[in-house]
Each structure stands twice: as C-alpha cells, then as structure tokens.
Amino acid sequence: NQGGRVMLAEYWESLPLFKRLYQEKLEPVCSEYSLTRMELNILLFLANNPVHDTATDIVEVRHLTKSHVSASVKTLQARGYLQRVFLAGNHKTVHLRLTPAAGPVVEQGRRAQQSFFATLQKGLAPAERAVLKAAFHKMLKNARTALQGGRGTV
C-alpha cells in the first residue's frame, strides 16, 4: 500500500542521517585516542560481540573491506590495543583479543554508542520501542531471506 511505501522510503532516506549522527557521537573518542573510525569500530565490535573474534568475522558481519580491516587490525596491534592469539589445536585461525590498554577506549566508545541510541529513542514509550524492534527484526529477516534466495541466512 502507498502508506507503507512512504514509511519505508522515509526510513531508507533517513539511514544516512543516522549514520552521520553515529559518527558525530564517536568522533570525540576517535580524536582523543587518535583513532580512525574503522579502528574504533573494530574495538567496539570485538568488545560488543565476543563470539565474533576474527578479522573474517568483522568483515562478514559488518560488511567491511578486508584490506581496511586488516590494516586497522595491524595498527591496533602495534598500538597495544589488540593481540593476536591461536586457540589450542588450531594454529590457522587468528583470534583477536582486546588488551587492557583498550579498556578506556572501549568504555568511552560504549558511552558514545549509548548516547547515540538514547538520542534516537528520546520520547519513545517502551511500547513504541518494542513495536519498532519487532518490525525491524521482521524487515531484517525479510532482507536476509531475499538475499539468500529464500534461505534466510546472510
């Protein structure tokens, strides 16, 4: 229906605005620690997604360029924020671990993320948040299904 198309078009057109606001919230952290946005995003990704701890995970889950992730991981390792480890019995897959030095960066980055989400959710009642969350999950499932030819996984 026309109303649904208009609503989805407004949502789609607002995504760059959301991205810009997110970048503005994270920029002070990047400046304070002399990090690129990619480097901060990698640190936050690893902190917020402990089961995804390889460069391949970052590339696949965040849909980032492999060369950019690789270069950023090398920089973060050189600066003492990351270490590369191998798990027992598997010396092929490199797992990335945050070091204690990354703690303050991650803490400030998470506060910036919380500020971003609080800004977006300002004035939304809990029921509105629940409806929005449910609708988003359905749209995400639909997109994944469409991209996988009906299989539902991306």
Side-chain angles (χ1 to χ4, degrees):
N1 72 30
Q2 181 65 21
R5 281 194 299 270
V6 170
M7 188 265 315
L8 287 175
E10 287 176 0
Y11 171 76
W12 184 256
E13 291 165 1
S14 66
L15 290 177
L17 183 65
F18 294 158
K19 185 176 180 180
R20 192 172 99 211
L21 176 62
Y22 185 73
Q23 290 170 349
E24 284 184 12
K25 295 288 186 178
L26 292 180
E27 186 55 38
V29 182
C30 291
S31 293
E32 181 172 343
Y33 292 96
S34 299
L35 294 169
T36 65
R37 282 195 310 267
M38 174 73 77
E39 291 163 353
L40 180 57
N41 284 333
I42 288 171
L43 292 176
L44 290 171
F45 176 84
L46 291 169
N48 294 335
N49 302 281
V51 298
H52 299 290
D53 65 351
T54 67
T56 300
D57 289 340
I58 297 167
V59 169
E60 290 177 356
V61 173
R62 288 288 183 242
H63 305 285
L64 300 172
T65 307
K66 186 177 178 180
S67 61
H68 289 142
V69 170
S70 179
S72 295
V73 165
K74 285 180 185 176
T75 300
L76 291 167
Q77 184 181 6
R79 293 189 59 192
Y81 292 131
L82 285 182
Q83 64 183 40
R84 298 161 47 106
V85 298
F86 295 97
L87 299 181
N90 181 349
H91 292 283
K92 289 184 179 181
T93 304
V94 176
H95 295 269
L96 304 172
R97 297 288 184 261
L98 297 172
T99 66
V105 181
V106 168
E107 182 180 326
Q108 284 192 336
R110 282 179 166 166
R111 280 199 302 267
Q113 287 178 322
Q114 289 167 352
S115 175
F116 167 75
F117 292 118
T119 299
L120 288 184
Q121 295 179 29
K122 185 177 179 181
L124 291 178
E128 291 172 312
R129 290 179 187 180
V131 168
L132 186 61
K133 182 179 179 180
F136 177 77
H137 284 291
K138 286 180 183 178
M139 289 189 301
L140 187 59
K141 181 182 178 196
N142 292 342
R144 286 181 171 150
T145 299
L147 287 171
Q148 290 298 312
R151 290 193 308 264
T153 58
V154 171

